[in-house]
Amino acid sequence: MTTGPLVTTPPRTQDVDSISNSTGAMHTLCSPSLNQTPQSIDHFDISSDAALDTSHIDYTTFTSLQRRSLTLLVGLGCITSPLTATRYFPLLPLLRTHFKTTAQAINLTITIYIIFQALSPLLFGPSSDTLGRRPVYLLALCIYCAGNLGLAVNKDSFATLLVMRAFQSLGASAACAISYGIVADVCLPGERGKMLGPVNMALNLGTCVGPVAGGAVAYKSKSYELCFWILVGLGAILFVSNLLFLPETARSLVGNGSGRRVHSRYENVWTLLKLTLQHKAISSGTSIDEEGRSTPEPVKPDIRKVLRTSNPLRCLRILLYPDAALCLWVHGSFYVVDYSLVAAAPDIFKNTYHLNELQIGLTYLTRGVGIIAGSYCNGKAMDYNFRLTANLFGFAVDRVLGHELSKFPLEHARSRGSFWLLGVSTITLVAYGWTVTRHVHIAVPIFLQFVLGFVQTCFYTIYSTLLVDTFPEKPSTAAAAASVVRCTMAAISVAIMQLLLEAMGYGWYFTVLGLWSGICGSAAILLMRTKGMQWRVKRVNGERAAGR
């Protein structure tokens, strides 16, 4: 598995070359020794390169302040997808009336959104790994603004509604895949939970605010256009913010971050303006680091190699690996649960509890609070579980450069506590279905939404992170594969949901959904914990032998 050029500033050029040519050495988490490794991972044949003295090279040159700024930018960017998706749900009855169509036809607009939610990371994720996070994300924001503008000016065409929902989803849904790539670019695996926790809290703030905002606007104005005009403004603000402040982080272009000093196009506009005002020359050929040493100009990528690597269908290869397939199944099945829950809620609370659009939007608040709380707690728990597993297996966590991540039992570290979460999820889903069927007091299903929001965001974060960890050279490509799987599964579930609800009712529908996700999820996690590392090591060694 080849890595992108690592731009560093050691005194001798040959040292840079030797480090760059070491397979995956600067992109993976490792341990100082395997002499004390328990027998459970002793028998794996892991080919490795000669040990390198990389103690003088940091995994990233981004400072703590810069990473906090990136956390803010990435989190705000991730708001677009959940905010856009969830503020749409309270509008469903209004849209059904305005366009004089059926509930099944309006659900088609949700299905279209989910389909392009899958295609978006498939297109933008691999491209951001090779062409850069910054330009690809700015392009996605332009598409997002165009889609919202089309929805805002559309008055009576249902076909236009479908097409513009596709553009809206295409632009909004790129953020998550690119964001996971940015986190992998600047954080060691053992530190990613600390950054992903706040990112997911910000991401899920959109889930919390979206339904309330959509319901409030729909209730006050009795019109849907204003909702989309607000999203146009949000997209424009995000575009300007990222243009000004987001630097390039893709390791294939800037290495550990020092490559930003080599060419001005890798830096954000705000920094370039500050440098210009301070009369500091920026050379496109060479640059001078803080200690006065010149850094070499990175080799321009072969355009044929870039296009081949950026092929969106290449990420589908990830689905063929059993360790990745199990991770994707768990991730996708709980996306099905979540989308079924939020898509069914408007009709549940309108027909069963007789709420208006604003009140329907407010019912999503507890779920959003659960998601934010789950994101915060799970971020802390992920780092704790990683450190605990590292200590159990004799690995060092603080500075983990110099060995291979394939030697670390990632599946055990990331999946700790998953069986308890599965049990809570299954019981809560069954209870939710029967409480709304029996018309139990509205406080009960609203509280159950809080519990489900907490649990489901844990599954999203855990298994998205595990997938990125197991494909450290192409994190956005891995995130794109996750998006394809989860959105395909969710699109199918939403397409048939109304038919199943009419045939089974809410009680049996959510009972079957809970048992399906719980039983299949338990089997997948058990296999992952017992066979996952063996399959992963076999895959890594096969890729290394093939020179990929």
Side-chain angles (χ1 to χ4, degrees), residues 1 105 122 143 158 165 215 233 325 329 378 380 427 498 529:
M1 189 185 298
L122 189 66
I143 296 173
F158 185 72
R165 278 286 282 175
W329 172 264
N378 191 58
K380 300 284 187 182
I427 293 170
Q498 193 64 33
R529 289 176 66 87

Side-chain angles (χ1 to χ4, degrees), residues 7 35 87 132 208 330 376 415 433 448 502:
V7 182
N35 295 334
R87 74 181 292 136
C208 183
V330 178
Y376 178 79
S415 65
L448 294 176
E502 291 172 359

Side-chain angles (χ1 to χ4, degrees), residues 355-546:
L355 304 186
N356 59 40
E357 289 86 357
L358 175 59
Q359 293 168 331
I360 290 171
L362 290 172
T363 63
Y364 286 88
L365 269 177
T366 53
R367 173 179 169 272
V369 172
I371 288 172
I372 293 173
S375 298
Y376 178 79
C377 295
N378 191 58
K380 300 284 187 182
M382 283 172 61
D383 285 349
Y384 171 79
N385 288 335
F386 196 96
R387 290 193 300 269
L388 183 61
T389 305
N391 291 332
L392 287 174
F393 286 88
F395 285 75
V397 180
D398 294 337
R399 275 291 172 228
V400 287
L401 300 177
H403 294 274
E404 299 287 346
L405 184 61
S406 57
K407 298 174 184 176
F408 187 83
L410 283 167
E411 294 76 12
H412 283 263
R414 295 305 189 197
S415 65
R416 287 178 61 89
S418 290
F419 292 113
W420 288 102
L421 292 172
L422 281 170
V424 172
S425 174
T426 301
I427 293 170
T428 308
L429 272 171
V430 173
Y432 182 81
W434 290 108
T435 54
V436 299
T437 299
R438 305 289 176 146
H439 295 209
V440 177
H441 191 276
I442 192 172
V444 177
I446 286 178
F447 172 74
L448 294 176
Q449 284 190 344
F450 167 83
V451 177
L452 288 168
F454 186 99
V455 172
Q456 285 157 18
T457 195
C458 292
F459 280 109
Y460 294 158
T461 308
I462 288 169
Y463 292 96
S464 293
T465 306
L466 176 58
L467 191 68
V468 169
D469 286 344
T470 54
F471 291 89
E473 305 295 335
K474 38 192 174 183
S476 286
T477 302
S483 181
V484 170
V485 170
R486 71 172 182 256
C487 293
T488 300
M489 294 173 67
I492 294 171
S493 70
V494 170
I496 64 174
M497 183 184 70
Q498 193 64 33
L499 298 175
L500 293 175
L501 285 174
E502 291 172 359
M504 302 169 66
Y506 293 117
W508 284 113
Y509 175 78
F510 283 106
T511 297
V512 171
L513 190 63
L515 293 174
W516 169 78
S517 60
I519 294 171
C520 294
S522 297
I525 292 170
L526 185 62
L527 266 176
M528 201 183 307
R529 289 176 66 87
T530 55
K531 291 286 189 179
M533 183 173 177
Q534 182 179 352
W535 287 331
R536 174 164 53 90
V537 170
K538 182 179 178 181
R539 167 175 59 81
V540 170
N541 287 339
E543 290 177 341
R544 190 177 295 158

Side-chain angles (χ1 to χ4, degrees), residues 210-336:
V212 180
V217 172
Y219 179 71
K220 291 293 184 182
S221 66
K222 299 300 180 183
S223 174
Y224 62 88
E225 291 97 334
L226 182 58
C227 288
F228 297 124
W229 279 116
I230 293 172
L231 292 178
V232 172
L234 173 65
I237 291 170
L238 288 173
F239 178 86
V240 173
S241 299
N242 283 277
L243 180 67
L244 287 175
F245 302 114
L246 180 66
E248 183 55 66
T249 65
R251 298 182 74 86
S252 60
L253 297 179
V254 299
N256 65 353
S258 56
R260 291 176 297 140
R261 297 191 292 268
V262 174
H263 202 294
S264 59
R265 71 172 178 269
Y266 297 145
E267 196 51 271
N268 61 58
V269 173
W270 180 253
T271 300
L272 293 178
L273 287 173
K274 288 198 300 182
L275 292 174
T276 302
L277 292 174
Q278 295 168 4
H279 304 288
K280 292 185 178 180
I282 299 175
S283 171
S284 62
T286 61
S287 66
I288 305 299
D289 69 6
E290 290 84 349
E291 299 180 12
R293 297 175 300 193
S294 63
T295 57
E297 182 179 8
V299 179
K300 292 182 179 179
D302 184 345
I303 188 62
R304 290 173 297 179
K305 182 178 179 181
V306 167
L307 291 175
R308 185 168 64 250
T309 307
S310 300
N311 182 354
L313 298 180
R314 287 176 66 87
C315 78
L316 297 180
R317 181 184 299 168
I318 292 175
L319 305 179
L320 303 178
Y321 301 123
D323 60 315
L326 292 173
C327 185
L328 289 167
W329 172 264
V330 178
H331 183 78
S333 63
F334 281 91
Y335 200 69
V336 168

Side-chain angles (χ1 to χ4, degrees), residues 19-31:
I19 293 167
S20 296
N21 293 332
S22 175
T23 306
M26 296 308 300
H27 292 280
T28 54
L29 172 69
C30 324
S31 73

